[in-house]
């Protein structure tokens, strides 16, 4: 129905059927009867951030920007539905981002420690490094220290002497 990167001049409401939404060719959502898609590109006047294809026989109602704006003015319940959809998609995006951050926490901490060590000529106090990395990544110091301990146990970094230097 639409392809990622296309101009977002139309929005769609599914009258019947099912549409699969894909980002970079990866399915991320299925939308069916009464669902909407294409609203983000239409509202932001930006290229489509996803592709959408019918996975079974589907009938859609198509709105251009002018029709959509008129609909928003005259049908308040549609505005509420669109806001609900946008909020749900935002929550799902935030959840995905948080999962990715947690999954890559070791890599993020390792990368930040590498940057810290470049500044400190490879001789850094672990406590100062933990605090700096925590600020950079928006983590609690205890969380950062736990990840650093994991990196030490994995032999990816080492501590020298009794001074707690990296």
């Amino acid at each position: 129905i639409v392809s990622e990167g296309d101009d977002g001049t139309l929005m769609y409401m599914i009258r019947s059927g099912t549409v699969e939404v894909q980002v970079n060719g990866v399915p991320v959502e299925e939308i069916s009867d009464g669902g909407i898609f294409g609203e983000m590109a239409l509202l932001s006047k930006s290229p489509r951030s996803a592709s959408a294809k019918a996975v079974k026989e589907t009938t859609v109602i198509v709105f251009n920007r002018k029709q959509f704006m008129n609909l928003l003015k005259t049908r308040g319940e549609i505005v509420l539905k669109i806001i609900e959809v946008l909020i749900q998609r935002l929550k799902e995006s935030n959840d995905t981002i948080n999962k990715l951050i947690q999954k890559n926490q070791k890599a993020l901490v390792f990368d930040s420690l590498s940057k810290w060590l470049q500044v400190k000529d490879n001789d850094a106090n672990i406590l100062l490094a933990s605090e700096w990395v925590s600020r950079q990544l928006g983590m609690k110091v205890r969380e950062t220290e736990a990840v650093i301990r994991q990196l030490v146990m994995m032999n990816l970094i080492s501590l020298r002497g009794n001074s707690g230097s990296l």
Side-chain angles (χ1 to χ4, degrees):
I1 300 171
V2 300
S3 295
E4 194 170 343
D6 287 353
D7 287 337
T9 58
L10 301 172
M11 183 196 98
Y12 305 83
M13 181 178 287
I14 301 172
R15 185 175 224 176
S16 64
T18 303
V19 170
E20 179 181 80
V21 178
Q22 299 178 351
V23 176
N24 296 322
V26 177
V28 293
E29 180 180 15
E30 275 197 3
I31 305 170
S32 56
D33 301 4
I36 61 171
F37 62 95
E39 77 289 342
M40 288 172 42
L42 186 72
L43 288 170
S44 66
K45 298 180 182 179
S46 60
R48 301 231 178 255
S49 60
S51 297
K53 70 176 189 172
V55 293
K56 64 180 186 179
E57 189 169 322
T58 301
T59 304
V60 296
I61 302 168
V62 181
F63 299 94
N64 64 28
R65 186 169 176 79
K66 184 177 179 183
Q67 292 168 323
F68 179 65
M69 291 305 185
N70 284 334
L71 194 62
L72 290 179
K73 291 176 189 172
T74 59
R75 303 279 308 266
E77 71 276 7
I78 301 242
V79 174
L80 291 175
K81 179 160 178 61
I82 291 168
I83 290 171
E84 287 172 5
V85 167
L86 292 172
I87 288 171
Q88 183 61 35
R89 289 183 184 157
L90 180 61
K91 285 180 182 178
E92 289 169 2
S93 293
N94 285 341
D95 289 346
T96 300
I97 290 167
N98 285 331
K99 287 176 187 172
L100 289 171
I101 288 171
Q102 289 173 358
K103 188 175 182 178
N104 293 315
Q105 212 170 34
K106 288 182 188 111
L108 291 169
V109 169
F110 186 83
D111 184 57
S112 291
L113 278 173
S114 297
K115 290 175 184 168
W116 170 259
L117 290 172
Q118 288 172 4
V119 171
K120 296 296 180 181
D121 285 335
N122 291 324
D123 187 25
N125 179 286
I126 188 70
L127 294 175
L128 295 176
S130 296
E131 290 171 4
W132 185 83
V133 168
S134 296
R135 282 193 306 276
Q136 295 298 308
L137 300 178
M139 294 172 60
K140 294 178 181 170
V141 174
R142 279 186 285 180
E143 292 173 339
T144 303
E145 290 170 345
V147 173
I148 291 172
R149 281 192 293 277
Q150 291 173 356
L151 293 171
V152 168
M153 288 190 298
M154 296 169 69
N155 292 321
L156 294 173
I157 61 172
S158 62
L159 299 177
R160 292 190 296 237
N162 296 330
S163 64
S165 294
L166 291 169

